[in-house]
Amino acid sequence: MQATGGADGLVQSLLSVADALVRKSVWIIGGDGWAYDIGFGGLDHVLASGRDVNILVLDTEVYSNTGGQASKSTPRGAVAKFAARGKGMPKKDLGMLAMAYGNVYVARVAMGANDQQTLHAFLEAEAYDGPSLIIAYSHCIAHGIDIRKGLDQQKLAVQSGYWPLYRCNPALAEQGKNPLTLDSKEPTIPLEQYAYNETRYRMLLQSDEKRAEELMQLAKHDVQARWQQYREMADIHHNE
């Protein structure tokens, strides 16, 4: 770079490259329909690239923008378009898939349950030199709740064990530490206390009680199995 015109020329030259002198923060933001489903191939490609890119998934568990169709993120037992009898399969674990790469920062957050943990996740994702993925519980009108109480419902989701909070930082593994930190406690309320606050679960209970009860039992097993898996990965030991 050769400056011309004295001091003014030098200033103009510096201004022309100012953007290159500041570290850029790159964020990709999308919903669960994209991240879990129709755009998963692209998401996976970015995670596998090793580039310093941050991804935020606003997980509403349905295709919110197109009328509330079921997606691979829709939980077992919830009613949605194309799942009128309640979705029979469990929710896809996007975080676990991302963690399998070993070099991706992954966090699951719910601001209504723990805003401090949410802040830590964003700061760590931004600081991590590599791809990062934050999956954020995002309450939605399609859930059939009073949106004013959305943050309270997020808290119930965590307390029931349905939405475990965690941060997986590969930088800790480089220090010989366990990369996975489980930030939420063991379930303290039954899954029904969270789920039946929402119309998407109550609808099936009212229309087909037997199927609703069957799917709820399977969903409770999903919660228990997932919690146990994460607990073992985080090396948390409890005295029985």
Side-chain angles (χ1 to χ4, degrees):
M1 180 179 69
Q2 183 176 359
T4 60
D8 288 343
L10 180 59
V11 170
Q12 291 302 317
S13 296
L14 288 173
L15 287 175
S16 70
V17 296
D19 287 347
L21 302 177
V22 179
R23 181 179 181 271
K24 287 182 172 61
S25 177
V26 180
W27 284 86
I28 299 171
I29 303 175
D32 57 275
W34 160 73
Y36 284 75
D37 212 334
I38 58 175
F40 176 70
L43 174 69
D44 181 66
H45 182 72
V46 173
L47 294 177
S49 71
R51 299 292 184 88
D52 188 12
V53 176
N54 307 295
I55 303 169
L56 172 61
V57 176
L58 302 175
D59 194 348
T60 66
E61 303 188 321
V62 290
Y63 280 96
S64 302
N65 290 335
T66 53
Q69 294 97 328
S71 79
K72 291 184 177 68
S73 175
T74 303
R76 194 197 298 265
V79 172
K81 289 185 178 180
F82 307 122
R85 296 187 64 245
K87 187 182 175 192
M89 297 298 292
K91 177 185 176 82
K92 179 179 181 177
D93 195 336
L94 183 64
M96 188 68 74
L97 290 170
M99 279 189 271
Y101 275 109
N103 67 332
V104 178
Y105 178 93
V106 186
R108 190 200 297 260
V109 304
M111 190 169 64
N114 192 330
D115 53 2
Q116 192 67 33
Q117 187 262 355
T118 301
L119 177 60
H120 283 163
F122 274 87
L123 292 175
E124 289 177 350
E126 169 61 23
Y128 180 67
D129 186 15
S132 66
L133 173 68
I134 296 179
I135 306 169
Y137 187 105
S138 303
H139 54 267
C140 172
I141 194 171
H143 294 176
I145 64 170
D146 183 344
I147 293 298
R148 294 173 299 177
K149 299 180 180 179
L151 294 180
D152 295 330
Q153 188 66 359
Q154 289 192 19
K155 186 174 182 179
L156 291 177
V158 173
Q159 290 176 333
S160 69
Y162 171 72
W163 191 270
L165 304 178
Y166 62 76
R167 289 166 294 133
C168 182
N169 190 346
L172 294 178
E174 297 174 2
Q175 302 171 21
K177 301 177 182 178
N178 191 325
L180 182 63
T181 301
L182 194 55
D183 293 315
S184 52
K185 299 178 181 179
E186 289 197 45
T188 57
I189 65 172
L191 181 62
E192 294 92 332
Q193 187 174 335
Y194 152 71
Y196 289 143
N197 273 339
E198 302 184 352
T199 303
R200 58 176 175 162
Y201 292 101
R202 289 198 310 272
M203 286 175 64
L204 186 61
L205 188 65
Q206 295 165 0
S207 63
D208 190 340
E209 184 175 356
K210 181 179 179 181
R211 177 168 171 80
E213 291 177 349
E214 291 174 350
L215 291 180
M216 180 56 65
Q217 290 304 313
L218 290 172
K220 291 170 74 171
H221 180 269
D222 294 339
V223 167
Q224 294 168 358
R226 183 170 57 245
W227 177 264
Q228 181 65 24
Q229 182 180 23
Y230 280 122
R231 188 174 72 170
E232 291 175 356
M233 290 174 60
D235 290 329
I236 296 177
H237 302 287
H238 296 267
N239 294 323
E240 300 296 333

